[in-house]
């Protein structure tokens, strides 16, 4: 299979057969990882740089592990943007990376569009690991893989994406992927945390969580992203107190009972327990697939690195 792109910057615009093929390949990496084997010849001699301008534990380590399991030389670069001009840093960094002959560049940045800017300036294949409020494509792929493995399909499922949709790149990538693959997507959020254009995304919009959860196959919770509220200029008042938020938009066993009896609970992490999700559901092995999402993350990133490195080898 091949992607029609040299980079993985966003899910929007990806063709459903490419998404399906990517998930199939990731599926084979799940089995490889579970068998304890590696495939270190695939990326031998290739250099992967993890360039993170924003904090991350899960995503960075997941890419690191994925790269190492395929035999790449992996380098982690964390860059603080607090005291420097962001645009200048980005272009300087691009020049440095080109000089280092990096093959695969994984980028997380607080500004939407930063990975795509870098992709125009570097020779490496760029993978977006989360840019501002724009997209987080590998998260949507790992979420889809988790759902597909548990439910056997994506088509026709009702997926309720709940919480701080406004600031969530995870939500945006998931909306594009799930609607492309034929799922019915519902967005559930208070009006202050719902994007104004939500109705144009081919989804159903709910401001009442109980109504939004009714009959859902998948309940995908999102973190309340307070850091993006304060940085976007006086928008800290977008959410009431945490207790109040939890009462109306936090997932507990009682609200989950409105979804289908076999509904799965998901969360990309890090979780704010007691704010958007109660521990009783987050830790319930019968309903929660949150740990499985992490496992799928490594497999999906191996598949992405595999495909992009093959693709770019062809273009060499
Ligand atoms: C997400 C992110 O960074 O966008 N987390 C992640 O990738 N593990 C979601 C979040 O931060 O809430």
């Amino acid at each position: 299979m091949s992607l029609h792109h040299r980079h993985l910057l966003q899910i929007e615009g990806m063709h459903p057969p490419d998404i399906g093929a990517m998930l199939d390949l990731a599926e084979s990496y799940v089995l490889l990882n579970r068998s304890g084997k590696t495939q270190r010849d695939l990326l031998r001699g290739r250099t992967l740089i993890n360039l993170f301008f924003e904090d991350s534990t899960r995503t960075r380590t997941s890419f690191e592990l994925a790269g190492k399991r395929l035999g790449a030389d992996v380098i982690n670069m964390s860059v603080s943007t607090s005291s420097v001009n962001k645009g200048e840093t980005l272009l300087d960094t691009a020049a440095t990376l080109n000089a280092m002959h990096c093959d695969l560049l994984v980028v997380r940045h607080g500004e939407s569009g930063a990975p795509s800017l870098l992709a125009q300036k570097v020779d490496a294949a760029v993978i977006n690991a989360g840019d501002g409020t724009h997209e987080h494509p590998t998260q949507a792929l790992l979420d889809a893989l988790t759902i597909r493995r548990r439910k056997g399909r994506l088509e026709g499922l009702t997926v309720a994406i709940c919480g701080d949709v406004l600031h969530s790149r995870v939500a945006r990538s998931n909306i594009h992927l799930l609607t492309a693959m034929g799922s019915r997507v519902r967005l559930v959020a208070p009006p202050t945390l719902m994007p104004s254009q939500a109705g144009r995304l081919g989804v159903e919009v709910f401001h009442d969580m109980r109504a939004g959860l009714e009959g859902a196959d998948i309940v995908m919770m999102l973190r309340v992203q307070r850091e993006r509220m304060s940085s976007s200029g006086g928008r800290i008042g977008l959410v009431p107190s945490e207790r109040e938020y939890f009462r109306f938009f936090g997932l507990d066993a009682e609200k989950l009972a409105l979804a289908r009896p076999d509904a799965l609970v998901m969360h990309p992490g890090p979780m704010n327990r007691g704010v958007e999700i109660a521990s009783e559901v987050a830790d319930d092995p019968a309903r929660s697939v949150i740990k499985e999402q992490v496992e799928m993350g490594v497999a999906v990133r191996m598949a992405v690195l595999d495909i992009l490195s093959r693709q770019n080898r062809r273009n060499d």
Side-chain angles (χ1 to χ4, degrees):
M1 74 150 298
S2 72
L3 263 186
H4 296 283
H5 309 280
R6 209 164 84 78
H7 310 284
L8 178 61
L9 300 173
Q10 57 184 36
I11 298 290
E12 187 175 9
M14 262 180 89
H15 302 302
D18 282 346
I19 295 172
M22 185 93 87
L23 297 179
D24 292 343
L25 182 62
E27 186 95 45
S28 72
Y29 279 120
V30 174
L31 302 179
L32 184 83
N33 289 339
R34 287 189 176 174
S35 75
K37 296 195 193 111
T38 54
Q39 204 176 307
R40 295 199 198 278
D41 46 331
L42 202 81
L43 295 185
R44 178 162 296 138
R46 300 251 152 179
T47 304
L48 183 158
I49 298 187
N50 263 329
L51 179 62
F52 278 64
F53 293 87
E54 260 191 1
D55 287 346
S56 163
T57 318
R58 206 173 304 243
T59 305
R60 190 185 55 71
T61 46
S62 180
F63 271 110
E64 184 173 355
L65 204 52
K68 286 184 171 163
R69 286 201 178 144
L70 296 178
D73 296 319
V74 182
I75 291 155
N76 293 316
M77 287 175 69
S78 297
V79 191
S80 158
T81 49
S82 54
S83 57
V84 283
N85 176 304
K86 287 177 190 164
E88 211 176 274
T89 313
L90 208 57
L91 299 181
D92 282 350
T93 310
T96 309
L97 295 169
N98 278 339
M100 288 177 176
H101 302 296
C102 155
D103 300 292
L104 293 150
L105 180 63
V106 177
V107 188
R108 170 167 288 195
H109 200 286
E111 300 289 326
S112 302
S116 111
L117 178 65
L118 263 177
Q120 293 163 30
K121 304 284 174 191
V122 296
D123 303 327
V126 175
I127 300 159
N128 178 5
D131 62 331
T133 58
H134 174 228
E135 280 221 34
H136 189 351
T138 56
Q139 179 71 43
L141 288 164
L142 75 88
D143 288 339
L145 183 62
T146 308
I147 298 171
R148 208 182 71 165
R149 284 174 54 88
R150 283 295 189 121
K151 297 286 181 194
R153 66 197 161 101
L154 295 169
E155 199 181 349
L157 293 178
T158 299
V159 183
I161 304 179
C162 313
D164 187 356
V165 180
L166 181 66
H167 298 106
S168 179
R169 51 202 181 198
V170 173
R172 234 163 298 276
S173 287
N174 265 301
I175 291 166
H176 291 304
L177 190 151
L178 292 168
T179 53
M181 300 306 277
S183 308
R184 282 189 293 268
V185 177
R186 298 176 178 174
L187 300 182
V188 181
T192 49
L193 295 180
M194 184 71 83
S196 55
Q197 309 289 317
R200 293 197 196 160
L201 296 168
V203 298
E204 274 184 280
V205 172
F206 292 81
H207 299 304
D208 174 358
M209 190 168 183
R210 290 167 196 279
L213 291 187
E214 188 110 23
D217 295 288
I218 307 290
V219 182
M220 191 181 283
M221 299 307 300
L222 301 172
R223 184 172 65 88
V224 175
Q225 304 201 16
R226 288 198 177 271
E227 78 280 14
R228 297 200 200 283
M229 299 180 199
S230 48
S231 68
S232 49
R235 288 154 81 192
I236 198 82
L238 288 180
V239 285
S241 72
E242 294 189 343
R243 262 185 69 191
E244 177 105 341
Y245 184 85
F246 182 75
R247 194 166 134 222
F248 291 103
F249 290 96
L251 185 69
D252 56 11
E254 189 235 310
K255 291 197 198 79
L256 181 59
L258 295 162
R260 284 177 55 99
D262 59 352
L264 300 176
V265 174
M266 305 179 75
H267 192 301
M271 287 185 272
N272 294 309
R273 291 171 182 265
V275 181
E276 72 263 358
I277 191 163
S279 289
E280 62 177 355
V281 290
D283 301 332
D284 178 356
R287 311 302 293 274
S288 167
V289 290
I290 295 170
K291 287 196 195 113
E292 212 166 297
Q293 287 174 269
V294 179
E295 182 191 0
M296 295 307 127
V298 178
V300 153
R301 285 159 186 140
M302 289 169 84
V304 169
L305 297 177
D306 178 345
I307 289 169
L308 289 184
S309 66
R310 286 175 205 263
Q311 177 85 358
N312 289 339
R313 208 165 279 164
R314 263 201 298 281
N315 296 338
D316 279 349

